[in-house]
Amino acid sequence: NAGVTQTPKFQVLKTGQSMTLQCAQDMNHNSMYWYRQDPGMGLRLIYYSASEGTTDKGEVPNGYNVSRLNKREFSLRLESAAPSQTSVYFCASLGVGTTNTEAFFGQGTRLTVV
Amino acid sequence: KNQVEQSPQSLIILEGKNCTLQCNYTVSPFSNLRWYKQDTGRGPVSLTIMTFSENTKSNGRYTATLDADTKQSSLHITASQLSDSASYICVVSAHTGGFKTIFGAGTRLFVKA
């Protein structure tokens, strides 16, 4: 049981380049999330997917697109990377029950845009 | 507006000492509150979860308290260890048909020998 797996772990992009961050979970969770975490700051929600086939904007969606490929996978795409997108990106999936709203996080992708 | 505010922003303590981290929230309708520990370069990991009816919950040297009336929570760490150096994030969930989860900015704890 791997939990939440993100790839790649590190990436350096030039301004204007595009890339896709991959995320997969094996816990059969419906909800998946993409966050970014800048130095000294908390997690900020970029996009989320409450269930397969649906996606919604979070707090900071500009410059990003997402795709919920199936229940397991939720990818984040940067079409034209900018230095302001230098950050650590975390994917999470959410187990939901009566009281269980524990989010399980991947290890993060450290992205640098030069 | 749903918000979660944590204090202090950062804290330095000596190994073996105790400390308390604070979390105030305005999330409504309240469902539960979790404290997460985030080691540097890693994703957050859940420490405790508290629902409306729970006042105190412990996980080893970590004790979380919740006052649902004043909308405040605290995380007390006893006999700190160097491995406690991390960010501690307060996360509050609201039940609005589905679940809405709000993250605090975290408290950065440094434990020094």
Side-chain angles (χ1 to χ4, degrees):
Chain A
N1 187 341
V4 179
T5 303
Q6 286 182 239
T7 56
K9 286 187 171 57
F10 300 94
Q11 183 72 50
V12 178
L13 290 179
K14 292 182 179 179
T15 297
Q17 285 186 315
S18 62
M19 78 160 295
T20 300
L21 281 62
Q22 306 286 353
C23 175
Q25 53 95 3
D26 60 4
M27 294 172 284
N28 202 36
H29 289 165
N30 284 324
S31 300
M32 297 184 72
Y33 302 76
W34 275 105
Y35 293 91
R36 62 177 287 174
Q37 187 174 39
D38 299 318
M41 296 185 67
L43 292 157
R44 292 188 293 169
L45 182 63
I46 305 171
Y47 269 94
Y48 67 98
S49 171
S51 61
E52 183 180 353
T54 68
T55 61
D56 287 285
K57 295 179 180 179
E59 182 184 356
V60 288
N62 292 342
Y64 305 95
N65 283 303
V66 291
S67 179
R68 185 73 182 269
L69 304 170
N70 46 56
K71 193 171 187 178
R72 289 187 67 249
E73 298 171 292
F74 188 38
S75 61
L76 178 72
R77 183 160 178 84
L78 286 71
E79 292 291 352
S80 179
S84 61
Q85 294 178 304
T86 293
S87 188
V88 181
Y89 292 84
F90 287 99
C91 175
S93 71
L94 196 63
V96 177
T98 305
T99 58
N100 178 13
T101 56
E102 181 174 0
F104 293 84
F105 287 83
Q107 296 283 54
T109 296
R110 188 172 297 275
L111 175 67
T112 302
V113 183
V114 297
Chain B
K1 182 180 179 182
N2 290 324
Q3 287 185 311
V4 177
E5 295 183 351
Q6 294 187 241
S7 62
Q9 189 173 27
S10 63
L11 182 63
I12 302 173
I13 62 174
L14 292 176
E15 187 179 14
K17 297 296 185 182
N18 304 335
C19 68
T20 300
L21 314 180
Q22 300 291 343
C23 173
N24 297 337
Y25 63 92
T26 59
V27 178
S28 180
F30 176 83
S31 175
N32 61 68
L33 183 149
R34 284 186 183 271
W35 283 93
Y36 285 81
K37 179 185 179 186
Q38 185 179 19
D39 293 311
T40 300
R42 318 265 304 187
V45 176
S46 179
L47 289 173
T48 65
I49 177 173
M50 302 185 73
T51 58
F52 187 87
S53 60
E54 296 175 303
N55 299 118
T56 303
K57 184 166 282 188
S58 292
N59 178 1
R61 295 179 297 102
Y62 300 102
T63 298
T65 64
L66 175 65
D67 186 331
D69 291 331
T70 61
K71 298 187 177 181
Q72 295 178 327
S73 177
S74 65
L75 180 69
H76 186 75
I77 303 175
T78 303
S80 61
Q81 300 176 358
L82 297 178
S83 59
D84 292 331
S85 294
S87 289
Y88 292 85
I89 304 171
C90 176
V91 183
V92 184
S93 292
H95 196 176
T96 58
F99 282 100
K100 187 175 181 65
T101 300
I102 311 297
F103 284 79
T107 292
R108 189 82 174 91
L109 176 66
F110 300 88
V111 180
K112 303 182 73 172

